[in-house]
Amino acid sequence: MITIALPTGRLGNQAMEILKQAVEGLEELEPSSRKLIFHSRDSSLRFLLVKPSDVPTYTEHGVADIGIVGKDTLLEEGSQLYEMMDLGFGKCRMVVAGFPNKKDSWVTQSYTRVATKYPNIAKNYFSGLDETIEIIKLNGSVELGPLVGLSDVIVDIVESGRTLRDNGLVVLDEICRISARLVVNRVSLKTKNEPITQLINSIEKILEEK
Ligand code: PRP
């Protein structure tokens, strides 16, 4: 049996859709369900529904053989997991954003407060710049930071750009491109190589058809 850790939320729902096309017998896999463990009809696959930031943990510890997770989570968690595949969905950008009038001046300020759900990514990015920063960790609605004076800028993901636009903020710099990745536990890759390769080939085929 192969165990796959799927992230809850948008990314997980997209992953379920692709998996259901790639593999037969995944009727149980249902985004609206509150179940945390799903099995394929023939019990050859088991799926664990976990918080996105926990996908690397389950996969690193070998509880899951495979994980599907955003590159943002892998970067933030400093994961050393083997990335087998860029799944190509969940595309977005990790950016620094703020008010438009900060556009030319923010990098030259002596002290910048950065609100973010991604403190490690933010720290890494700013460590490459000659700038003193304070990281303010938030858990959501990060765009509020500059609006209420909690922070000067934010480091966050932008997908459609709507949240920034609706709040009068703009992208000041792009840190990196993000998409969903398929990661594999290194031991599983050796001990379960054939079924893992087979599953990856089936997913690849579906993605190519899209
Ligand atoms: C994410 C992200 C942005 C928004 C970007 O938040 O943190 O706020 O989506 O998407 P957009 O560019 O398409 O507007 P999420 O929806 O996960 O909610 P959160 O703020 O509660 O974390």
Side-chain angles (χ1 to χ4, degrees):
M1 182 165 66
I2 294 186
T3 301
I4 303 163
L6 294 179
T8 50
R10 253 186 289 185
L11 209 60
N13 296 350
Q14 280 175 281
M16 283 186 195
E17 220 175 274
I18 293 189
L19 283 162
K20 282 172 110 159
Q21 291 170 47
V23 183
E24 290 212 352
L26 298 189
E27 300 79 13
E28 248 199 29
L29 209 54
E30 209 14 84
S32 58
S33 168
R34 298 291 297 158
K35 268 178 78 164
L36 300 173
I37 303 180
F38 297 92
H39 290 94
S40 61
R41 208 190 308 140
D42 65 0
S43 294
S44 63
L45 298 177
R46 178 172 74 148
F47 299 89
L48 310 179
L49 261 288
V50 307
K51 204 172 148 64
S53 54
D54 290 337
V55 169
T57 311
Y58 281 91
T59 316
E60 260 156 27
H61 285 258
V63 173
D65 304 297
I66 291 176
I68 291 182
V69 62
K71 181 70 180 173
D72 53 334
T73 304
L74 293 174
L75 290 171
E76 181 59 26
E77 302 298 319
S79 165
Q80 298 299 313
L81 280 163
Y82 187 49
E83 277 179 46
M84 286 281 284
M85 203 178 171
D86 184 341
L87 291 161
F89 59 83
K91 277 190 181 157
C92 52
R93 299 185 294 153
M94 183 66 66
V95 305
V96 183
F99 286 119
N101 60 10
K102 291 245 178 214
K103 204 161 188 162
D104 301 316
S105 63
W106 68 276
V107 277
T108 58
Q109 280 178 32
S110 60
Y111 188 76
T112 304
R113 295 165 305 157
V114 185
T116 186
K117 290 187 276 191
Y118 302 94
N120 293 325
I121 294 177
K123 241 177 264 169
N124 284 342
Y125 170 77
F126 281 98
S127 71
L129 303 174
D130 185 21
E131 195 180 354
T132 313
I133 57 151
E134 179 194 354
I135 304 274
I136 301 166
K137 167 80 165 70
L138 292 177
N139 295 301
S141 303
V142 176
E143 291 81 359
L144 194 56
L147 304 186
V148 295
L150 178 69
S151 72
D152 301 302
V153 294
I154 63 170
V155 165
D156 201 12
I157 49 172
V158 175
E159 196 177 346
S160 66
R162 180 154 180 217
T163 312
L164 286 184
R165 221 170 25 250
D166 285 358
N167 291 290
L169 302 174
V170 295
V171 173
L172 301 172
D173 197 11
E174 181 177 308
I175 298 177
C176 61
R177 302 248 159 190
I178 304 290
S179 57
R181 306 293 159 96
L182 187 144
V183 290
V184 183
N185 175 277
R186 283 171 199 273
V187 176
S188 304
L189 192 58
K190 290 200 183 104
T191 56
K192 301 182 182 178
N193 187 278
E194 203 187 307
I196 288 175
T197 309
Q198 221 170 39
L199 178 67
I200 287 171
N201 288 344
S202 309
I203 295 173
E204 237 161 26
K205 219 170 121 201
I206 294 298
L207 292 174
E208 273 165 19
E209 286 167 11
K210 282 198 169 272

